[in-house]
Amino acid sequence: MGKTLVAYFSATGTTAKVAKRLADVVGADLHEIEPEIPYTAEDLNWMNKKSRTGVEMENKSFRPAIRNRVEDMAQYDTLFVGFPIWWYVAPTIINTFLEQYEWRGTKIIPFATSGSSEIEKTNSELVGSCPGADLREGKRFSADVRPEKLKAWADSY
């Protein structure tokens, strides 16, 4: 691998822990994808279809605004992009993030956190947001994933 970035969105801190661990074991730069309007506990109530996340995930074209950008994204040839699983896919803020940059020739490897939901449906929702990228199959991890497991997984790419 050349220069690597671990970019992540974390609504509750779980994905942040895994992202920081991953960046550490692969020697990558780290970037938090920060929503312009932070999510509250009420926003994250998946049982309320009218909650902010319920509305965003119902409309797959919705793109939550991001308040920060990566300077000089072109310096990275590998991107690990992390997020919690929402409604069996990545939150649409990940699409917002991907659509801000040119990805031609970049390897993008998703990773997710979830107690039980899988990641398999995610790439079909992300592929249109990163044309030209080498979008790889991702993996779901629990919050307590050990560094050695993350390293072995990352090294497989």
Side-chain angles (χ1 to χ4, degrees):
M1 280 190 242
K3 191 146 184 176
T4 301
L5 176 67
V6 173
Y8 69 93
F9 165 69
S10 187
T12 63
T14 303
T15 305
K17 290 176 190 171
V18 175
K20 290 171 185 173
R21 212 171 291 145
L22 177 61
D24 187 50
V25 299
V26 299
D29 292 343
L30 187 65
H31 174 76
E32 180 179 4
I33 301 166
E34 299 176 32
E36 195 168 273
I37 301 168
Y39 289 86
T40 66
E42 186 176 299
D43 293 335
L44 299 172
N45 181 358
W46 60 273
M47 296 179 70
N48 178 359
K49 289 186 179 209
K50 294 183 183 201
S51 72
R52 179 174 165 196
T53 56
V55 171
E56 289 177 6
M57 297 308 292
E58 180 70 25
N59 179 357
K60 298 298 180 157
S61 66
F62 192 87
R63 296 295 185 261
I66 294 174
R67 75 177 193 103
N68 60 339
R69 289 184 53 89
V70 174
E71 296 301 321
D72 193 17
M73 182 64 86
Q75 68 181 308
Y76 300 103
D77 57 7
T78 302
L79 169 71
F80 287 94
V81 61
F83 44 85
I85 294 287
W86 287 0
W87 287 260
Y88 305 101
V89 294
T92 55
I93 196 168
I94 299 301
N95 298 86
T96 305
F97 173 76
L98 292 173
E99 291 167 4
Q100 293 180 333
Y101 305 98
E102 166 61 45
W103 298 108
R104 196 158 317 285
T106 304
K107 186 181 340 177
I108 298 178
I109 308 156
F111 68 96
T113 55
S114 172
S116 61
S117 297
E118 294 298 329
I119 192 172
E120 283 75 22
K121 296 179 183 178
T122 297
N123 278 12
S124 64
E125 300 284 335
L126 297 180
V127 68
S129 295
C130 54
D134 177 9
L135 181 61
R136 303 290 181 94
E137 285 301 315
K139 186 164 176 73
R140 175 186 58 90
F141 295 100
S142 62
D144 62 351
V145 63
R146 298 182 49 79
E148 309 80 59
K149 186 172 182 177
L150 285 172
K151 176 88 169 111
W153 171 72
D155 287 350
S156 73
Y157 292 101

